[in-house]
Amino acid sequence: MSEDKITGTLAFTVFTAVLGSFQFGYDIGVINAPQEVIISHYQHILGVTVDDRRATSNYAVNSTDTPLIVTPVYATPAPQVDREAAGSAQLITVLWSLSVSSFAVGGMVASFFGGWLGDKLGRIKAMLAANSLSLTGALLMGCSKLGPSHILIISGRSISGFYCGLISGLVPMYIGEIAPTTLRGALGTLHQLAIVTGILISQIASLSFILGNQDRWHILLGLSAVPALLQSLLLFFCPESPRYLYIKLEEEVKAKKCLKRLRGAEDVTKDINEMKKEKEEASTEQKVSVIQLFTDSSYRQPIIVALMLHMAQQFSGINGIFYYSTSIFQTAGISQPVYATIGVGAINLIFTAVSVLLVEKAGRRSLFLAGMIGMFFCAIFMSLGLVLLDKFAWMSYVSMTAIFLFVSFFEIGPGPIPWFMVAEFFSQGPRPTALALAAFSNWFCNFIIALCFQYIADFCGPYVFFLFAGVVLAFTLFTFFKVPETKGKSFEEIAAEFRKKRGVAQAPKAAVQMEFLGASETA
């Protein structure tokens, strides 16, 4: 049937939408590879004490800027100099951590506003408005070499994070609303696929002989403006979401016109009837507040499980690898760590595609558990490789292999699946609030890891991933005992699974049908 085909207009529209997802991925990965270059520039701009002058001298050698006049280093530095050197090193660590984590702060704040902005302006205008933030952030970072780089980068990363927080909600929503029912799942996965593609492209662009060097690193950071500009131009040729027009604005004529463009057919009765039914169902369900999710016994256990799944995803240590993979490979003794980081990006892309093929066959819970168990053993081998590196040089390859496998297991299960499962836990009424809260939780945990990982790594040294192995094990046990399988199950069947996990007796079928999730439980 024509509704099940990917028409030229649909392909063009989906491509335009996922340009935002691609930029999201680019912004995630771009800060990683040129870490040493940017830190060196921070030291140059801020001025450093005696122990940091080697880095300053290296900056002068590697840069085409006017060489610095470096004061000779005396053999026996005074205690005051030692304190200044320690303070300088601490300041640089703080600024770098903020440069990484400020991105997550913006995303965390914006995660609650994506749906609101989409309803207020429409999906197309909302993405255009979000792009203005992207362009602002890219401009600040692109000009960072001309001013106080640390301030401009941190500010630019915050604004870019705000853009990504909005787009992470807007893009899946728009694609889900324009896609035919039978293609909705397949087209929806392109959001995640575009993200990991953006990460990989940013890592390749960050190579020292391309843009990841002292002369062009600011161009690398500012390049995120390119997909934003391209998307802004192409959005003017994309149809508005028919569901938004029909359900939110009640403009049936415009909805039919957009549907005909997307489906390439004059008869769109099936889609209109589907939207009419969806509108009727939505009118019977009241929106649920954040407080109600925790106070109503029908929602409490599902929202706790949903938040724990997102915490498991972020606290597994995966973002420690994404944000700091180059320095981790360097510690592991890899001679060309940036190429190993690109390898991580490639593995990330490949296994995201593998997950798409497996998720409907193996089941959500099964893949999540398999991924977590694999990550647990990989984290142990990762730390063992780092601990024993001084005794056995070949342990560097153990660590590198463990990192590759860690990322593979993450993308098979814990990476994409929490988003699938949270949407399946809740019906139309509580779903928007639950998804917003889950997104906020995800970004908040992302922020904590981005801000603290460097300090944790400095404190734990090569033992850092033993810590993450313990965290992964705890979440694996929680998943095994508390998380139900949702594959192919109705809300009633999922509710019964939650009651079974809690040991609550089966409710009468009529009562179950009155609930969206779960039976009443004692507080």
Side-chain angles (χ1 to χ4, degrees):
M1 296 178 66
S2 60
E3 290 85 356
D4 299 331
K5 295 180 181 178
I6 300 180
T7 63
T9 300
L10 179 61
F12 172 83
T13 304
V14 171
F15 170 79
T16 301
V18 298
L19 280 173
S21 307
F22 173 85
Q23 184 181 335
F24 184 0
Y26 185 91
D27 285 338
I28 290 174
V30 73
I31 199 69
N32 176 38
Q35 175 180 350
E36 290 187 2
V37 176
I38 296 175
I39 287 177
S40 175
H41 188 76
Y42 284 176
Q43 293 169 327
H44 167 54
I45 292 296
L46 295 172
V48 291
T49 51
V50 174
D51 285 351
D52 293 316
R53 285 174 185 163
R54 179 176 298 177
T56 306
S57 180
N58 288 340
Y59 179 89
V61 169
N62 295 328
S63 177
T64 57
D65 295 341
T66 304
L68 298 173
I69 299 175
V70 182
T71 306
V73 180
Y74 296 99
T76 307
Q80 177 65 27
V81 173
D82 286 339
R83 287 193 295 271
E84 289 178 359
S88 176
Q90 183 71 14
L91 175 62
I92 295 299
T93 300
V94 169
L95 290 176
W96 177 251
S97 295
L98 287 174
S99 299
V100 175
S101 61
S102 58
F103 176 78
V105 174
M108 184 171 55
V109 173
S111 60
F112 278 109
F113 296 100
W116 173 83
L117 189 66
D119 287 343
K120 190 75 174 177
L121 301 179
R123 298 356 180 194
I124 299 293
K125 291 181 180 178
M127 285 188 280
L128 284 170
N131 278 337
S132 66
L133 294 172
S134 174
L135 293 173
T136 302
L139 180 64
L140 289 173
M141 290 188 290
C143 296
S144 57
K145 198 173 182 181
L146 305 177
S149 57
H150 54 295
I151 295 174
L152 292 174
I153 289 176
I154 292 171
S155 300
R157 290 278 295 171
S158 298
I159 296 172
S160 294
F162 202 94
Y163 160 80
C164 291
L166 294 175
I167 216 71
S168 63
L170 288 171
V171 170
M173 176 172 28
Y174 180 59
I175 293 177
E177 290 177 346
I178 65 173
T181 303
T182 55
L183 298 175
R184 197 168 295 158
L187 293 178
T189 58
L190 296 179
H191 168 65
Q192 178 72 10
L193 196 61
I195 289 176
V196 297
T197 303
I199 293 174
L200 179 59
I201 294 300
S202 72
Q203 292 168 340
I204 294 173
S206 297
L207 290 170
S208 59
F209 63 87
I210 301 179
L211 294 175
N213 53 59
Q214 292 286 3
D215 296 321
R216 295 189 288 270
W217 61 266
H218 59 297
I219 300 175
L220 176 72
L221 297 183
L223 270 183
S224 59
V226 174
L229 285 171
L230 179 59
Q231 187 189 51
S232 296
L233 177 63
L234 297 181
L235 280 172
F236 287 104
F237 302 96
C238 294
E240 181 55 89
S241 161
R243 274 178 165 73
Y244 169 75
L245 293 171
Y246 186 87
I247 297 175
K248 294 292 182 182
L249 301 185
E250 299 183 345
E251 296 184 357
E252 184 174 345
V253 175
K254 289 184 179 179
K256 285 183 177 179
K257 183 178 179 180
C258 291
L259 273 172
K260 289 176 182 179
R261 287 182 60 192
L262 289 166
R263 302 292 182 263
E266 288 296 319
D267 185 9
V268 292
T269 305
K270 180 180 178 181
D271 288 279
I272 291 294
N273 289 337
E274 181 183 324
M275 289 188 290
K276 186 179 295 184
K277 182 179 179 181
E278 183 179 339
K279 183 179 180 181
E280 291 172 354
E281 291 176 351
S283 65
T284 63
E285 293 188 274
Q286 295 182 348
K287 289 187 177 181
V288 176
S289 67
V290 172
I291 295 176
Q292 285 177 294
L293 286 176
F294 291 98
T295 57
D296 192 318
S297 59
S298 299
Y299 308 135
R300 188 185 305 122
Q301 188 182 3
I303 193 60
I304 290 174
V305 170
L307 296 181
M308 291 293 281
L309 288 174
H310 281 278
M311 290 173 65
Q313 182 196 83
Q314 293 297 321
F315 289 148
S316 65
I318 189 65
N319 276 331
I321 291 176
F322 284 157
Y323 287 134
Y324 300 100
S325 58
T326 300
S327 59
I328 291 172
F329 282 127
Q330 194 170 30
T331 302
I334 306 301
S335 58
Q336 295 290 337
V338 67
Y339 292 104
T341 298
I342 291 174
V344 170
I347 293 292
N348 196 23
L349 177 62
I350 292 169
F351 279 89
T352 299
V354 170
S355 177
V356 172
L357 301 175
L358 292 178
V359 71
E360 292 298 344
K361 297 179 180 179
R364 283 77 156 130
R365 179 178 179 271
S366 301
L367 279 182
F368 193 92
L369 278 172
M372 293 294 281
I373 292 171
M375 291 166 70
F376 168 73
F377 287 106
C378 288
I380 291 177
F381 282 109
M382 216 181 299
S383 273
L384 282 175
L386 294 174
V387 169
L388 300 176
L389 182 61
D390 291 338
K391 296 182 178 179
F392 307 101
W394 53 269
M395 276 293 176
S396 62
Y397 297 102
V398 173
S399 294
M400 185 169 67
T401 302
I403 289 177
F404 286 153
L405 291 175
F406 189 93
V407 172
S408 303
F409 281 115
F410 175 81
E411 288 301 348
I412 284 176
I417 285 176
W419 300 104
F420 279 96
M421 297 192 79
V422 174
E424 292 171 335
F425 286 168
F426 298 93
S427 58
Q428 188 69 27
R431 186 183 294 143
T433 306
L435 286 173
L437 187 60
F440 174 83
S441 171
N442 193 286
W443 278 103
F444 180 74
C445 295
N446 186 321
F447 165 72
I448 295 297
I449 291 296
L451 183 65
C452 299
F453 182 83
Q454 192 66 63
Y455 295 99
I456 296 172
D458 291 344
F459 179 77
C460 297
Y463 299 93
V464 62
F465 283 100
F466 281 132
L467 174 63
F468 284 113
V471 173
V472 168
L473 178 61
F475 280 117
T476 302
L477 294 173
F478 175 87
T479 302
F480 182 80
F481 289 108
K482 295 295 184 181
V483 179
E485 178 59 73
T486 59
K487 173 193 170 187
K489 293 183 178 178
S490 65
F491 290 119
E492 179 180 337
E493 292 169 327
I494 295 172
E497 285 289 335
F498 273 117
R499 287 194 304 275
K500 184 178 178 181
K501 294 289 182 183
R502 287 192 58 84
V504 179
Q506 176 72 27
K509 183 175 181 180
V512 173
Q513 292 175 337
M514 294 292 291
E515 301 173 357
F516 302 126
L517 284 169
S520 299
E521 63 185 54
T522 56

